[in-house]
């Protein structure tokens, strides 16, 4: 079960995402029974999934590594659940489970919907608290502020929230989810409509970003993170696998430079795993790619080419600072 579990191609039908999530929140006041408490929760992700990739980036930018541990599922899985096959013995070392579904079943026995990432798990009980991915990242910014690193950026500043929310809604409908509406369309008519809506919005974004370095304001915000994880997957996956093929990202000059600018910013490129991304989509979506063959391209070295967007002004972290470099693995 992937981030799009239950959302496979249905003949003659447009694609509809199931957005019925577990909406429990972790808050300062613990209103839902889960108060903010460092060390209590584990964020379970896959680098393959764009929705989970957002949470990985936000956690790193805000410096919440010591407050919220990270469990990483492998890029592929069977129909039942994401699995911890990257860990020794195929078992998460903190939760002690082989499948993410085990944590879902602790919360809701025989949980009937998709076993999705990201999911925040309450370690003492072993139960999922929430898989409401849009709210998870907003709460990391707002509810966990007492545990942000010194110099953490303001990803969801109060004075820009209305504009961020407006941009996020458009980008989600037409781009983040729009690529899926193309890829999982069950009719030519629904595909054509999704395709036109996707590229119309990408053109709108190109016009907006030709005048300003970031989507909202002078620094990176939640809006940039949400767009980035889709753009990062565009050429490796969405252009071919999901038939979003009017242009490659690398053929859209403004968006390509914008994506490279973010990729080269600490917290973005170092939170992106193209191998996991490609293996997930091409090996799991067998209704679209029956052979399971994973393409070798595109050339990823071009992500490091100069982007030239500094001339537009702004700065990635405003008055804040970049997160520290990730440690280099031994060996």
């Amino acid at each position: 079960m992937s981030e799009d579990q239950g959302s496979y191609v249905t003949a003659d039908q447009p694609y509809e995402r199931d957005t019925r999530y577990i909406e429990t929140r972790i808050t300062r006041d613990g209103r839902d029974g889960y108060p903010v408490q460092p060390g209590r929760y584990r964020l379970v992700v896959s680098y393959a999934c764009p929705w989970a990739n957002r949470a990985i980036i936000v956690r790193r930018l805000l410096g919440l590594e010591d407050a919220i541990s990270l469990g990483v599922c492998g890029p592929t899985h069977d129909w039942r659940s994401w699995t911890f096959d990257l860990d020794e013995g195929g078992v998460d070392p903190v939760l002690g489970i082989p499948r993410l579904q085990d944590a879902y079943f602790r919360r809701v026995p025989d949980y009937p919907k998709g076993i999705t990432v990201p999911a925040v798990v309450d370690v003492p009980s072993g139960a999922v608290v929430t898989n409401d991915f849009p709210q998870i990242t907003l709460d990391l910014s707002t509810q966990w502020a007492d545990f942000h690193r010194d110099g953490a950026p303001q990803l969801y500043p109060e004075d820009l929230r209305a504009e961020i929310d407006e941009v996020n809604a458009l980008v989600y409908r037409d781009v983040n989810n729009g690529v899926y509406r193309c890829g999982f369309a069950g009719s030519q008519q629904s595909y054509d409509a999704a395709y036109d809506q996707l590229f119309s919005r990408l053109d709108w974004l190109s016009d907006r970003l030709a005048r300003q370095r970031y989507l909202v304001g002078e620094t990176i915000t939640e809006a940039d993170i949400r767009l980035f994880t889709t753009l990062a997957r565009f050429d490796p996956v969405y252009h071919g696998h999901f038939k979003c093929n009017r242009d490659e990202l690398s053929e859209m000059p403004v968006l390509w430079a914008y994506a490279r600018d973010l990729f080269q910013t600490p917290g973005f490129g170092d939170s992106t795993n193209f191998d996991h991304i490609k293996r997930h989509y091409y090996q799991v979506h067998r209704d679209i790619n029956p052979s399971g063959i994973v393409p070798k391209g595109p050339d990823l070295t071009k992500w490091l080419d100069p982007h030239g967007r500094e001339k537009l002004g702004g700065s990635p972290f405003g008055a804040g600072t970049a997160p520290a470099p990730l440690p280099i693995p031994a060996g």
Side-chain angles (χ1 to χ4, degrees), residues 26-41:
I26 300 168
T27 57
R28 279 196 181 99
D29 61 10
R31 71 194 74 160
D32 291 348
Y34 294 96
V36 167
Q37 184 179 334
R40 176 172 173 176
Y41 305 101

Side-chain angles (χ1 to χ4, degrees), residues 25 50 53 75 82 174 189 196 209 253 274 291 320 324:
R25 292 177 61 192
N53 201 174
W82 291 94
D174 299 340
Q189 182 180 13
D196 291 343
L209 289 166
F274 288 111
S291 70

Side-chain angles (χ1 to χ4, degrees), residues 14-318:
Y15 163 72
E16 297 291 341
R17 181 177 296 280
D18 185 352
T19 57
R20 298 171 297 162
Y21 301 111
I22 300 174
E23 296 180 344
T24 309
R25 292 177 61 192
I26 300 168
T27 57
R28 279 196 181 99
D29 61 10
R31 71 194 74 160
D32 291 348
Y34 294 96
V36 167
Q37 184 179 334
R40 176 172 173 176
Y41 305 101
R42 188 159 177 81
L43 175 63
V44 178
V45 300
S46 169
Y47 283 91
C49 168
W51 322 107
N53 201 174
R54 298 177 180 182
I56 296 169
I57 293 170
V58 170
R59 173 180 174 270
R60 172 148 161 68
L61 292 179
L62 297 178
L64 288 169
E65 292 93 334
D66 291 337
I68 306 171
S69 66
L70 190 71
V72 180
C73 297
T76 62
H77 52 73
D78 59 24
W79 63 271
R80 292 167 58 194
S81 173
W82 291 94
T83 54
F84 294 100
D85 47 290
L86 301 177
D87 294 304
E88 185 175 355
V91 173
D92 180 88
V94 172
L95 301 175
I97 56 176
R99 293 178 174 273
L100 181 55
Q101 72 174 13
D102 298 334
Y104 275 80
F105 291 167
R106 286 278 184 92
R107 177 70 188 272
V108 181
D110 298 321
Y111 182 75
K113 299 191 285 294
I115 307 298
T116 59
V117 289
V120 181
V121 180
D122 176 46
V123 175
S125 67
V128 167
V129 177
T130 180
N131 64 343
D132 186 358
F133 67 88
Q135 192 63 50
I136 286 172
T137 51
L138 296 182
D139 284 345
L140 291 179
S141 282
T142 59
Q143 303 301 311
W144 288 83
D146 292 342
F147 302 97
H148 291 178
R149 65 178 176 86
D150 292 339
Q154 295 292 317
L155 300 178
Y156 195 51
E158 288 193 40
D159 61 326
L160 295 178
R161 286 180 188 175
E163 187 176 359
I164 291 170
D165 291 345
E166 180 182 3
V167 170
N168 283 347
L170 295 172
V171 170
Y172 171 78
R173 184 191 68 192
D174 299 340
V175 181
N176 301 145
N177 198 44
V179 293
Y180 287 90
R181 292 174 58 238
C182 291
F184 290 122
S187 72
Q188 189 69 50
Q189 182 180 13
S190 58
Y191 165 76
D192 289 349
Y195 177 100
D196 291 343
Q197 196 166 359
L198 166 66
F199 282 101
S200 176
R201 184 59 61 194
L202 290 175
D203 290 341
W204 179 85
L205 287 165
S206 290
D207 289 343
R208 183 183 182 99
L209 289 166
R211 303 186 301 270
Q212 59 195 65
R213 188 171 179 184
Y214 302 109
L215 276 175
V216 181
E218 297 294 314
T219 64
I220 289 166
T221 68
E222 175 84 14
D224 299 294
I225 295 165
R226 294 189 181 195
L227 178 57
F228 172 78
T229 60
T230 295
L231 295 182
R233 288 156 176 77
F234 203 89
D235 287 2
V237 175
Y238 302 144
H239 179 271
H241 186 59
F242 278 177
K243 306 180 186 68
C244 301
N245 61 351
R246 189 196 76 179
D247 303 291
E248 295 181 347
L249 176 64
S250 58
E251 296 170 330
M252 294 181 272
V254 171
L255 289 178
W256 178 220
Y258 166 79
R260 295 200 314 279
D261 186 6
L262 292 176
F263 182 84
Q264 294 169 31
T265 300
F268 286 82
D270 54 21
S271 296
T272 302
N273 188 314
F274 288 111
D275 175 63
H276 282 210
I277 289 168
K278 292 198 298 182
R279 287 171 58 195
H280 172 72
Y281 284 92
Y282 287 104
Q283 292 182 339
V284 172
H285 298 164
R286 293 302 180 100
D287 51 341
I288 298 176
N289 186 43
S291 70
I293 293 172
V294 180
K296 292 183 69 174
D299 179 4
L300 300 177
T301 62
K302 295 178 181 179
W303 279 93
L304 299 178
D305 288 350
H307 53 76
R309 288 186 59 80
E310 302 92 341
K311 65 180 183 294
L312 293 172
S315 61
F317 303 110

